[in-house]
């Protein structure tokens, strides 16, 4: 970022996304209060920062948004076979704490450089869950939680945060079930935040920020930047 924009805890605001750098980094600082997080997600902004060596929250707003349209979720032949076998049970909002802890620690993610899902983030999103904003999808093998994902329902979008698998394809199954649920409820898009090969293989695609915001808000005749 050429001119770093700093936020403080006392004033609730964000700069225009036009000030984001090429990686989408928009601002530093502020807090993870529910009001600030709601404002952020309502404008396509999200926090993402390594908690082990950085005490400043980093806020991102990429102007090219990587999303999945629920109706376009890609279901491979192998995933259709897995679904038809009913090997795993999938639930909604039954164990948010288990899912967010799984996302933080699966494959020892919390021990690697750049680990971002630390205690402050877990506390903030657990609070969002209690307030009905953040939700989880759980994948069970019997009584054992073996995968899942979580994110926030904001406007006409589901903003995905993280997913994990303790068995092959559990996170794919969670994403497919999320997409089916969102399509049934008329939700326009699943925000993936950043491209990964896994998400691209599931149907991820890029759209401009203005299109993203029009879909999120349902306002079709407005330019947001």
């Amino acid at each position: 970022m050429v001119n770093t924009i700093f936020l403080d805890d006392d004033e609730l605001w964000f700069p225009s996304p036009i000030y984001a750098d090429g990686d989408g980094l928009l601002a530093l600082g502020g807090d993870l209060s529910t009001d600030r997080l709601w404002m952020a997600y309502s404008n396509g902004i999200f926090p993402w920062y390594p908690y082990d060596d950085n005490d400043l929250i980093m806020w991102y707003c990429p102007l090219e948004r990587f999303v999945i349209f629920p109706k376009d979720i890609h279901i491979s032949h192998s995933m259709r076979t897995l679904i038809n076998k009913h090997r795993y049970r999938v639930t909604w909002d039954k164990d948010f704490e288990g899912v967010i802890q799984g996302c933080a620690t699966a494959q020892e993610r919390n021990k690697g450089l750049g680990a971002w899902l630390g205690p402050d983030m877990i506390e903030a999103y657990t609070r969002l869950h209690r307030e009905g904003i953040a939700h989880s999808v759980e994948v069970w093998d019997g009584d054992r939680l073996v995968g899942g994902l979580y994110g926030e329902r904001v406007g006409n979008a589901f903003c995905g945060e993280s997913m994990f698998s303790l068995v092959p394809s559990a996170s794919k199954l969670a994403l497919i079930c999320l997409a089916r649920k969102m399509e049934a409820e008329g939700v326009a898009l699943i925000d993936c935040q950043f491209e990964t090969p896994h998400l691209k293989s599931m149907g991820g695609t890029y759209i401009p920020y203005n299109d993203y915001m029009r879909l999120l808000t349902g306002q079709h005749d407005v330019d947001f930047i």
Side-chain angles (χ1 to χ4, degrees):
M1 183 180 289
V2 176
N3 296 307
T4 303
I5 299 173
F6 288 92
L7 309 175
D8 59 48
D9 295 351
D10 299 325
E11 189 175 359
L12 191 60
W13 72 286
F14 283 100
S16 168
I18 62 172
Y19 295 106
D21 69 11
D23 294 324
L25 181 60
L26 177 63
L28 303 174
D31 57 23
L32 295 173
S33 67
T34 296
D35 287 344
R36 189 182 297 274
L37 286 169
W38 180 256
M39 176 182 285
Y41 285 105
S42 296
N43 289 279
I45 301 165
F46 56 90
W48 185 58
Y49 63 103
Y51 67 87
D52 53 352
D53 62 356
N54 190 338
D55 58 359
L56 282 177
I57 301 168
M58 303 170 74
W59 299 93
Y60 284 81
C61 188
L63 295 184
E64 289 295 316
R65 310 301 300 222
F66 194 67
V67 306
I68 292 176
F69 296 108
K71 66 181 179 61
D72 295 333
I73 190 75
H74 175 68
I75 306 175
S76 66
H77 175 73
S78 62
M79 284 305 302
R80 291 186 188 277
T81 300
L82 179 65
I83 292 169
N84 291 335
K85 286 182 177 179
H86 303 288
R87 176 71 176 83
Y88 302 112
R89 177 170 56 95
V90 181
T91 57
W92 173 263
D93 277 346
K94 295 299 183 184
D95 190 0
F96 185 89
E97 181 180 353
V99 168
I100 200 169
Q101 290 292 339
C103 290
T105 62
Q107 291 81 48
E108 297 189 333
R109 297 173 182 175
N110 56 325
K111 298 180 181 179
L113 292 175
W116 61 272
L117 191 47
D120 290 346
M121 291 280 269
I122 290 172
E123 179 183 354
Y125 287 97
T126 300
R127 188 170 62 247
L128 290 183
H129 174 65
R130 295 193 189 105
E131 298 186 14
I133 298 169
H135 302 278
S136 58
V137 179
E138 302 89 15
V139 180
W140 304 88
D141 184 0
D143 294 330
R144 180 190 175 213
L145 182 66
V146 295
L149 62 80
Y150 80 96
E152 304 78 44
R153 176 74 182 272
V154 179
N156 207 24
F158 185 92
C159 303
E161 292 294 330
S162 187
M163 58 179 64
F164 79 102
S165 291
L166 301 181
V167 296
S169 299
S171 62
K172 289 184 179 181
L173 179 58
L175 182 56
I176 290 167
C177 291
L178 172 69
R180 287 177 168 176
K181 181 176 176 63
M182 294 301 99
E183 182 179 10
E185 295 181 1
V187 171
L189 58 86
I190 299 169
D191 182 3
C192 301
Q193 297 184 349
F194 295 110
E195 178 184 347
T196 68
H198 171 70
L199 292 170
K200 187 173 183 179
S201 74
M202 299 293 288
T205 189
Y206 283 101
I207 62 172
Y209 174 78
N210 274 333
D211 291 348
Y212 172 91
M213 287 299 297
R214 290 188 190 105
L215 289 167
L216 183 148
T217 62
Q219 301 180 51
H220 300 293
D221 298 321
V222 178
D223 287 334
F224 294 90
I225 59 172

